[in-house]
Amino acid sequence: PSKITKIACIGAGYVGGPTMAVIAQQCPHIQVTVVDINEKRIADWNADDLSQLPVYEPGLPEVVAAARGRNLFFSTDVEGAIRDAQMIFMAVNTPTKTFGVGKGMAADLKFVELCARQIAKVATEDKIVVEKSTLPVRTAESIKTILESEGNGLTFRVLSNPEFLAEGTAIEDLYKSDRVLIGGDEDADGQTAIQALVDVYANWIPREKIITTRLWSSELSKLTANAFLAQRISSINAISALCEQTGADVDEVARAIGMDSRIGAKFLKSSVGFGGSCFQKDILNLVYLCHHFNLPQVADYWEQVVMLNDYQKHRFAKRIIDSLFNTVSGKKIAFLGWAFKKDTNDTRESAAIYVADELLHDRAEIHVYDPQVKAEQIYADLEYLQKHRRTNSHSCSEQEPITVDEIRSLVHVHNDAYTAMDNAHAIALLTEWDEFKHYDWAAVYQAMKKPAFVFDGRNILDRKQLTELGFNLHSIGKG
Ligand code: NAD
Ligand code: UDX
């Protein structure tokens, strides 16, 4: 069918939820059903209280309120949704493998494969299957093979439609995408399928921003875009280390180079290191692919982006320990922020986890405040790291893991930033939440142990003000 009236999306996470909510809001003539095997997640998407949605994202509650129950549905009935839909998006997670072949590098495609098998099993008519998850190049081929071998002679068209939204600005990004990318087969049926998806997006995205390519180009473009973005951050972070040694200021350097229109100003903010569920995973996946195709030099080039990021997180932790007279044992360190960036409750691969881990190995007492992250998530993040540490990273890989009991006794989570900072030896700012800029820093200074150290991992605090108040302030990339 070229006119789509029923869409299903498998996976109600950070991508499936917001993208489908926006499609439903912008296309009232299309019924959109988002399904997930996680019952709690679906219940939260259906909650009356919109502040309880499983994904914290500015603007999302309004979009959900506009469409939910009208043409947007959240359900655990995966099979029913597949059967009804003409077009099925796969937005399931594709994490780095933690075992077996490709451990620590390759993308784990088991959820994608399961989706394909389930689609093939329950479909009773032809379907368009859209890869929304980020996948290694040529995954569409495997999906097609599964669909065709298990699919009772039905025809399945596979499209690649990678998602470029960033968390914290997802709704804005979906409303005004720089581009929408759709890859598909070059034959007539492939082109018809591409056109069906173009027509969906054309309800709100200008046609000239919807680009269509071959399947493999589309799949590879997603990995490449993330690799380039992450590489800019690692490049400026590499320079931040040099700034600290030389007395140059990394923010001044970034501004000076960013005004060159060939370089551009975005994604040059030096930080404690990039986090999030995508950058590291996707680059490691690219590295793995390069090795697979026997391109070791290309693999090494991209792997350095991740290694430099490990180094940046490690450098930050080390600077805290060095500055606090070479030990943080028994000292109270306040963490402002745990999420991997502001305006999200997502903590996956957040730099805060790695910095905390290094300080815990030195037996620091960590007091965390984050406006959106729940205590159980913080404990779960630290416990997960003890079990699944990348062996080639800079962090405490040779050291004994910290036990669950030690984590529970050394890490304290606060609902109030001031109690987290009260009587602390040092503050480490890990996430650039706006509210941190507007605290009563004079009062914070009074309540802290002296010398009062602040390590600003995001360079958002007012240096002049804090220094004048008496803080011993350490910023990223400032000599
Ligand atoms: P997520 O973990 O938040 O959500 C994935 C959901 O899929 C989970 O709720 C899980 O329960 C569900 N799921 C897994 N297998 C299933 C199955 N067989 N049937 C039904 N539900 C199933 O992940 P995410 O952050 O939304 O990412 C999804 C994909 O999108 C990944 O490939 C990721 O790389 C890509 N991506 C993510 C972002 C981002 O900002 N998070 C941006 C662009 C692309
Ligand atoms: C990223 C891509 O931007 C997005 O296009 C893709 O779809 C998913 O991956 P996301 O990880 O959600 O999005 O957020 P992003 O804004 O890219 O930030 C990633 C990390 O880099 C964060 O930890 C952020 O704090 C850090 N960052 C970003 C910097 O340290 N400096 C910068 O200049 C920009």
Side-chain angles (χ1 to χ4, degrees):
S2 70
K3 198 94 194 117
I4 300 295
T5 52
K6 281 189 179 168
I7 285 177
C9 173
I10 310 178
Y14 283 87
V15 168
T19 51
M20 292 302 129
V22 168
I23 290 182
Q25 188 203 28
Q26 300 287 347
C27 312
H29 57 287
I30 301 180
Q31 183 182 315
V32 181
T33 307
V34 192
V35 291
D36 205 296
I37 38 175
N38 183 333
E39 288 175 12
K40 165 92 171 67
R41 249 193 181 175
I42 292 299
D44 287 346
W45 279 111
N46 282 322
D48 290 333
D49 178 1
L50 289 167
S51 72
Q52 293 306 310
L53 295 181
V55 170
Y56 174 79
E57 195 60 70
L60 178 62
E62 291 79 0
V63 179
V64 171
R68 198 177 61 184
R70 176 188 75 181
N71 64 328
L72 174 66
F73 303 93
F74 294 94
S75 158
T76 51
D77 179 12
V78 180
E79 299 204 342
I82 292 173
R83 211 172 292 120
D84 282 354
Q86 298 133 337
M87 180 179 271
I88 301 159
F89 286 79
M90 298 196 291
V92 295
N93 38 332
T94 50
T96 305
K97 279 186 82 171
T98 54
F99 56 87
V101 178
K103 175 181 174 190
M105 297 291 261
D108 190 341
L109 299 181
K110 69 172 173 242
F111 303 117
V112 172
E113 188 181 328
L114 275 170
C115 283
R117 289 189 187 279
Q118 202 165 14
I119 293 170
K121 191 181 94 188
V122 304
T124 51
E125 50 190 53
D126 298 351
K127 307 276 181 200
I128 298 173
V129 176
V130 185
E131 300 175 340
K132 189 49 118 177
S133 299
T134 302
L135 298 167
V137 195
R138 300 197 78 92
T139 303
E141 198 162 67
S142 317
I143 293 176
K144 241 185 261 174
T145 308
I146 293 170
L147 290 169
E148 279 164 12
S149 337
E150 301 249 5
N152 313 317
L154 297 174
T155 305
F156 296 94
R157 287 284 148 193
V158 180
L159 299 177
S160 158
N161 171 222
E163 184 48 61
F164 294 102
L165 69 80
E167 289 177 29
T169 52
I171 300 302
E172 209 182 307
D173 294 345
L174 288 165
Y175 280 166
K176 294 195 186 132
S177 308
D178 285 349
R179 79 313 207 175
V180 165
L181 176 58
I182 302 171
D185 282 331
E186 287 161 273
D187 62 5
D189 284 350
Q191 294 302 310
T192 308
I194 289 179
Q195 196 52 47
L197 186 52
V198 169
D199 289 343
V200 172
Y201 283 109
N203 282 292
W204 78 99
I205 302 283
R207 293 252 171 187
E208 63 276 14
K209 286 190 173 184
I210 307 176
I211 54 177
T212 60
T213 65
R214 292 164 201 188
L215 266 174
W216 317 137
S217 309
S218 172
E219 289 177 334
L220 185 56
S221 298
K222 176 62 196 178
L223 293 183
T224 307
N226 274 351
F228 270 60
L229 289 168
Q231 179 236 48
R232 285 173 68 90
I233 303 169
S234 278
S235 296
I236 198 69
N237 282 344
I239 297 301
S240 78
L242 190 57
C243 287
E244 286 164 29
Q245 296 302 320
T246 56
D249 178 324
V250 74
D251 289 330
E252 289 179 351
V253 174
R255 177 154 176 264
I257 65 167
M259 281 175 74
D260 184 329
S261 61
R262 294 168 303 175
I263 296 176
K266 291 181 184 166
F267 264 70
L268 286 181
K269 183 75 189 156
S270 189
S271 67
V272 54
F274 61 74
S277 64
C278 294
F279 283 169
Q280 175 176 300
K281 161 178 83 79
D282 293 347
I283 293 176
L284 292 176
N285 182 356
L286 186 67
V287 170
Y288 184 76
L289 273 173
C290 293
H291 280 302
H292 174 81
F293 291 107
N294 198 21
L295 301 167
Q297 290 82 356
V298 184
D300 290 349
Y301 174 77
W302 287 110
E303 192 167 13
Q304 274 305 314
V305 173
V306 174
M307 304 294 272
L308 200 289
N309 195 52
D310 290 335
Y311 171 68
Q312 188 75 352
K313 294 180 276 190
H314 168 67
R315 240 164 45 76
F316 188 78
K318 188 166 180 307
R319 193 166 174 192
I320 297 177
I321 299 173
D322 287 352
S323 307
L324 271 72
F325 317 106
N326 226 13
T327 179
V328 287
S329 168
K331 292 181 182 166
K332 176 173 178 180
I333 316 288
F335 268 41
L336 292 183
W338 190 264
F340 81 97
K341 63 186 283 196
K342 74 170 179 180
D343 293 341
T344 179
N345 60 342
D346 195 348
T347 64
R348 289 176 287 181
E349 291 301 329
S350 180
I353 305 168
Y354 292 87
V355 174
D357 177 63
E358 290 212 37
L359 300 184
L360 288 173
H361 273 95
D362 207 72
R363 295 294 176 267
E365 230 185 72
I366 297 181
H367 291 250
V368 186
Y369 166 75
D370 186 289
Q372 287 296 334
V373 180
K374 300 204 170 84
E376 279 318 305
Q377 186 61 48
I378 294 171
Y379 293 120
D381 289 338
L382 286 165
E383 285 165 25
Y384 183 86
L385 178 62
Q386 307 311 313
K387 291 191 212 118
H388 302 287
R389 199 183 290 280
R390 272 174 40 245
T391 46
N392 55 348
S393 74
H394 268 279
S395 60
C396 316
S397 49
E398 335 64 73
Q399 300 194 35
E400 286 281 297
I402 310 161
T403 66
V404 172
D405 288 346
E406 285 169 325
I407 291 172
R408 299 264 162 178
S409 73
L410 290 171
V411 179
H412 308 267
V413 181
H414 296 251
N415 292 323
D416 178 276
Y418 290 91
T419 65
M421 295 187 285
D422 186 49
N423 218 17
H425 290 80
I427 295 166
L429 188 152
L430 278 307
T431 313
E432 73 281 23
W433 287 103
D434 288 333
E435 64 175 72
F436 299 159
K437 294 188 237 176
H438 311 299
Y439 284 169
D440 181 350
W441 286 102
V444 173
Y445 181 77
Q446 288 308 322
M448 278 179 73
K449 288 221 167 23
K450 309 294 175 325
F453 290 94
V454 173
F455 300 87
D456 182 357
R458 298 289 182 164
N459 289 354
I460 59 165
L461 299 175
D462 184 335
R463 269 167 74 78
K464 190 163 168 291
Q465 184 206 3
L466 266 71
T467 324
E468 279 172 11
L469 284 170
F471 282 105
N472 191 329
L473 175 64
H474 294 254
S475 311
I476 303 279
K478 297 185 195 262

